[in-house]
Amino acid sequence: MQRYVRAVLALLTTGALVWVLDTNHGEIPAFGRFLSPFQGFWRNGETGGELAAEQALQLPGLQQPVTVRFDEHRVPHVFAQNDHDLYFAQGYLTARDRLWQMEFQTHVAAGRISEIVGPRALEYDRFQRRMGLPHGAEKSLAVMMADPTTRTVLEAYTAGVNAYIGALSPRDYPLEYKLLNYAPEPWKPLKCALLLQLMAWDLSGRSDDLRLSNALGKYGPAVVQDLFPDYPTREDPIVPVGTKLDYQPLKVPPVPDVFAASASEKVPQNEPDADLGSNNFALSGSRTASGLPILANDPHLQLNLPSIWYQVQLSAPGVNVYGVTIPGAPTIIIGFNQDVAWGVTNVGGDVLDWYQLKFKDNTKREYWHAGQWKPVRRVVERIRVRGLPDRLDTVLYTHHGPVVYDHDEKPFNAQTPVRHAMRWTAHEGGNEVLTFYRLNRARGYQDYAQALSTYAAPAQNFIFASRQNDVAIWPNGKFPLKWRDQGKFILDGSNPQHDWQGWIPQAQNPHAKNPARGFVSSANQFPAGPDYPYYLGWNFASYERGHRINERLAQMQRATPDSLRLLQTDNLNLNAQLMLPRLLQLVGTQQLTPAQRRAYDELRRWNYRYDAGAVGASIFDLWYNQLVERLWADDFGLKATGLEMRYPPRDRTNNLILKEDTSRWIDDHRTPPRETLPQLALESFRFATDSLSRKFGPLGPKWNWASQKSTDILHLARLPGFGRMDVDCGGGAAIVNATTERNGPSWRMVVALGPEPKGYGVFPGGQSGNPGSRYYDDLLETWRLGQLNELIYLTSPAQPHPRVPAAWTLKP
């Protein structure tokens, strides 16, 4: 009897264990499936030579055969006989390498992460929907599907992605699906639009309207105009001052009466990182060794694995283009063909405004505008939550846009404005896919200019070079026609004069072609000088990167691609060059301990470069930022004032340190004694050296900048073990090599135009999204060292090349 009892208990235990391992428990995935030798993560390992053999695949949906050549880094070179098959193959191949990344990012944009990880993501999903990302994607999709060209592109790309998904069994799913225990769903054209919305949010989703309205209410217009001026004293705009206009400007709307917004301690939650930016520059043939232009681009985005970019060559009748795209977006976004090259950097204009609303009553079904009560549109969002019933969430819409939060919901919206509507250009609908489709096929300047006419958001500085020896730049996108400073502060949602008054004509966006100085460039600084007739915003990236690039370009003669590669990795910090002599002057060495004096002497010898091994960079960076904190925290910090405000920009802060020793802002009004600038500089210096000593021990090589900065390239979903930590590299914020703790050059590209284009590029990762693949991060070391790989540009599917070992044939 006892033997039977033991057998039954063993069977029950085994059954219970199988059930536990094969079932989700709340947010805990079924690890039995993940560990299974038949369908678990073991199946995701790859051998190094998997692309060596030729293969033929039959894919339903193709119209004609497609040849795909793979190079040594697994970059596909696609040769199709028509547009449909070209983008079908692009969708199929991108999904093969990056399916999980493509789909996860669309879940992020759509506010659907709760479906995967459960209720801990619920408030994030609500926020994405309340900010209107799915709403904007639907608007853009309608525009793109109405155009027959982009409709073909999106539908073919979607069919290609789905051809790959349809061929998968659960054992073949990418690793993250197994770890998180969910399955891919069919791709839709909407997902392509959602990816563009996500980029728009990352690059144009910041706003200081509430912060500056709070400052205006506390200190008045004179102080705000002094500390937050509309144009800095140091600037090197993208389109040089004095560039002749080739159009007759529209009349700018009149400035209405001042609106005093209610003070608020809230600002938008989950704002994109202020360090996101980019560089691009192009030299005309008069400055190059070849006599033809050279173009370079390095977009600065969050550094993740899998990498944000995917390399591909796309060739069909009328197009042969090489470059990078975002997995999930068809066409090439940054790249070159036989005749032209182009790149993009973020404009950062003021294209997101907040409107303070007046509701009729607590039902919030009507709001006051233009002297009458107008109806509020109510949209019910259904949010699926893993392991729980669906959550219904009602979002209010006015003619301005969504009311992101209509009532206080602490702590979930602790930083988001309540009863404010958001107007954002990404909600307006554009056809960015058509822009890139046309750029991919461009043959000269006129094609480039026409391509930009359909582009909406996020606004980008499109740089261009051609074999016709043209170089050009066009800060481009949909820009509202505003009165000066409209949107610098909170706007009155009831006053029609505060509404957007139309659009700046695209042809009147700032632009320059073949300037006399022999180059064009951008680094997120002001698009144009004070002579530009329209208001685009008051605050752009500080001038250092842009000025340093222009300084180097102006010195170049007989430049080569390597000249521009070296410029991309330039580590000179112009802010340190400007400010360090003044800071050293403020500190009396007799007040320093021997250890602090050694740090002081290290700074005196430092060459202002943020190289990986530079000790001076670590000391200066901490010192300067701590001094800024001590200057402004008592007057503009949340803890001291109870209001959310921003600090004055760097240009204004530097002028105070350099020239205004007796400024009222130097004293910390929270303490009885009156602080002086030398005192704050000394205290900040001591803080910096003490912090480094506690972290690394006595002054020595361990104080190097790479260790202090600690650049991490994390997995996109922050899965531990799948990223690369403490990458040993230099660079920093406001430096041409803009590699910070989490952001940096996500793709470096240099292209020399000629009879045959010569392209060079690298990104910090690899073509594959599979952590079990050798191609997951095989490019990282090249990127870390500041080197570039030669990009293989094939002119025919049969062209022999020693670095292109594999060929596939995709058949209908």
Side-chain angles (χ1 to χ4, degrees), residues 470-487:
D470 288 325
V471 296
I473 195 162
W474 208 308
N476 187 66
K478 290 192 77 167
F479 295 113
L481 181 63
K482 294 184 173 186
W483 33 270
R484 186 155 296 279
D485 287 346
Q486 183 178 359

Side-chain angles (χ1 to χ4, degrees), residues 237-239 345-348 448 452 455 458-463 472-479 504-512 521-522 525-528 532 536 540:
I238 293 168
V239 176
T345 68
N346 194 37
V347 173
Y448 154 78
L452 301 189
Y455 189 88
Q460 296 288 289
N461 300 300
F462 283 85
I463 201 164
I473 195 162
W474 208 308
N476 187 66
K478 290 192 77 167
F479 295 113
I504 298 172
Q506 187 272 331
Q508 297 184 19
N509 289 344
H511 56 279
S521 74
S522 71
Q525 72 268 48
F526 271 75
Y532 181 64
L536 298 178
F540 294 84

Side-chain angles (χ1 to χ4, degrees), residues 639-715:
K639 289 183 179 180
T641 65
L643 289 173
E644 181 72 45
M645 295 183 281
R646 62 158 288 167
Y647 292 174
R650 175 178 287 175
D651 182 74
R652 185 64 187 88
T653 299
N654 285 351
N655 285 340
L656 185 149
I657 296 171
L658 291 169
K659 305 173 184 177
E660 302 175 32
D661 292 32
T662 59
S663 169
R664 60 176 275 199
W665 305 107
I666 294 172
D667 177 48
D668 187 339
H669 60 75
R670 297 169 297 184
T671 60
R674 182 176 181 84
E675 283 79 13
T676 65
L677 192 58
Q679 181 182 348
L680 293 184
L682 176 62
E683 292 172 354
S684 303
F685 181 76
R686 287 172 172 166
F687 173 89
T689 55
D690 289 350
S691 296
L692 290 167
S693 296
R694 287 193 299 271
K695 186 174 181 179
F696 299 115
L699 176 66
K702 289 183 179 179
W703 284 33
N704 72 76
W705 174 237
S707 297
Q708 170 64 8
K709 173 167 63 78
S710 184
T711 295
D712 295 333
I713 303 178
L714 303 180
H715 184 270

Side-chain angles (χ1 to χ4, degrees), residues 236-558:
D236 199 339
I238 293 168
V239 176
V241 174
T243 298
K244 187 176 180 181
L245 301 183
D246 56 4
Y247 54 85
Q248 182 63 40
L250 301 181
K251 184 178 179 181
V252 174
V255 179
D257 294 337
V258 174
F259 171 66
S262 301
S264 175
E265 78 281 9
K266 305 176 189 300
V267 296
Q269 183 177 332
N270 302 323
E271 280 193 314
D273 197 317
D275 286 341
L276 298 182
S278 304
N279 305 321
N280 61 21
F281 35 94
L283 280 175
S284 67
S286 62
R287 291 187 174 273
T288 70
S290 69
L292 287 171
I294 307 174
L295 178 144
N297 190 194
D298 54 294
H300 307 152
L301 299 169
Q302 194 170 86
L303 302 178
N304 290 317
L305 288 171
S307 296
I308 191 171
W309 300 107
Y310 182 75
Q311 291 185 65
V312 65
Q313 181 178 358
L314 301 174
S315 181
V319 63
N320 189 6
V321 62
Y322 189 113
V324 291
T325 189
I326 300 168
T331 73
I332 297 296
I333 292 177
I334 298 171
F336 62 95
N337 61 35
Q338 288 178 299
D339 297 295
V340 310
W342 75 94
V344 294
T345 68
N346 194 37
V347 173
D350 188 2
V351 296
L352 191 160
D353 290 340
W354 293 93
Y355 286 85
Q356 188 171 302
L357 300 177
K358 178 183 178 182
F359 289 107
K360 186 174 183 179
D361 52 41
N362 287 335
T363 66
K364 302 183 183 69
R365 293 186 178 273
E366 294 178 279
Y367 68 105
W368 186 253
H369 179 261
Q372 59 182 304
W373 294 108
K374 294 186 175 181
V376 171
R377 184 166 64 94
R378 304 169 74 85
V379 176
V380 177
E381 296 280 355
R382 179 179 292 273
I383 305 176
R384 291 170 51 200
V385 184
R386 188 169 191 165
L388 293 175
D390 292 355
R391 169 72 178 267
L392 299 181
D393 192 31
T394 302
V395 184
L396 311 183
Y397 280 81
T398 70
H399 77 287
H400 299 297
V403 182
V404 180
Y405 284 101
D406 55 277
H407 64 280
D408 202 351
E409 297 188 44
K410 289 181 179 179
F412 302 125
N413 67 323
Q415 290 182 290
T416 305
V418 175
R419 291 176 291 280
H420 286 67
M422 183 183 77
R423 186 80 193 266
W424 184 30
T425 53
H427 292 160
E428 301 298 322
N431 197 338
E432 290 80 16
V433 171
L434 185 58
T435 293
F436 294 114
Y437 178 91
R438 289 172 169 173
L439 282 174
N440 289 188
R441 290 158 175 76
R443 294 293 175 260
Y445 177 82
Q446 291 305 319
D447 294 338
Y448 154 78
Q450 182 194 23
L452 301 189
S453 64
T454 64
Y455 189 88
Q460 296 288 289
N461 300 300
F462 283 85
I463 201 164
F464 171 84
S466 74
R467 279 206 298 175
Q468 289 83 22
N469 231 328
D470 288 325
V471 296
I473 195 162
W474 208 308
N476 187 66
K478 290 192 77 167
F479 295 113
L481 181 63
K482 294 184 173 186
W483 33 270
R484 186 155 296 279
D485 287 346
Q486 183 178 359
K488 186 173 183 177
F489 309 97
I490 293 294
L491 296 169
D492 184 354
S494 67
N495 185 348
Q497 288 183 293
H498 284 233
D499 290 6
W500 287 1
Q501 307 293 317
W503 304 95
I504 298 172
Q506 187 272 331
Q508 297 184 19
N509 289 344
H511 56 279
K513 178 186 178 187
N514 298 328
R517 62 186 183 179
F519 62 85
V520 288
S521 74
S522 71
N524 316 115
Q525 72 268 48
F526 271 75
D531 54 342
Y532 181 64
Y534 301 115
Y535 175 74
L536 298 178
W538 73 276
N539 186 47
F540 294 84
S542 58
Y543 94 114
E544 291 91 355
R545 268 190 300 122
H547 186 70
R548 176 59 176 167
I549 289 169
N550 291 347
E551 185 179 66
R552 289 279 303 273
L553 293 174
Q555 297 169 353
M556 289 187 184
Q557 301 293 335
R558 299 190 60 77

Side-chain angles (χ1 to χ4, degrees), residues 526-666:
F526 271 75
D531 54 342
Y532 181 64
Y534 301 115
Y535 175 74
L536 298 178
W538 73 276
N539 186 47
F540 294 84
S542 58
Y543 94 114
E544 291 91 355
R545 268 190 300 122
H547 186 70
R548 176 59 176 167
I549 289 169
N550 291 347
E551 185 179 66
R552 289 279 303 273
L553 293 174
Q555 297 169 353
M556 289 187 184
Q557 301 293 335
R558 299 190 60 77
T560 66
D562 206 51
S563 307
L564 273 65
R565 177 191 69 82
L566 291 171
L567 175 51
Q568 287 181 329
T569 56
D570 186 291
N571 283 332
L572 184 70
N573 187 328
L574 294 192
N575 189 56
Q577 194 176 57
L578 174 70
M579 299 305 298
L580 182 57
R582 172 63 168 161
L583 298 190
L584 291 172
Q585 180 188 56
L586 287 170
V587 172
T589 56
Q590 68 278 5
Q591 299 172 285
L592 303 178
T593 66
Q596 292 166 353
R597 179 58 190 263
R598 286 193 292 274
Y600 183 94
D601 291 339
E602 179 71 32
L603 283 174
R604 292 178 60 190
R605 296 189 295 268
W606 180 46
N607 61 6
Y608 310 118
R609 296 185 181 276
Y610 273 47
D611 297 329
V615 169
S618 299
I619 305 170
F620 172 79
D621 206 75
L622 265 178
W623 184 10
Y624 176 83
N625 289 324
Q626 180 61 204
L627 177 57
V628 171
E629 183 69 19
R630 289 173 188 260
L631 280 171
W632 298 122
D634 62 314
D635 298 298
F636 293 93
L638 178 62
K639 289 183 179 180
T641 65
L643 289 173
E644 181 72 45
M645 295 183 281
R646 62 158 288 167
Y647 292 174
R650 175 178 287 175
D651 182 74
R652 185 64 187 88
T653 299
N654 285 351
N655 285 340
L656 185 149
I657 296 171
L658 291 169
K659 305 173 184 177
E660 302 175 32
D661 292 32
T662 59
S663 169
R664 60 176 275 199
W665 305 107
I666 294 172

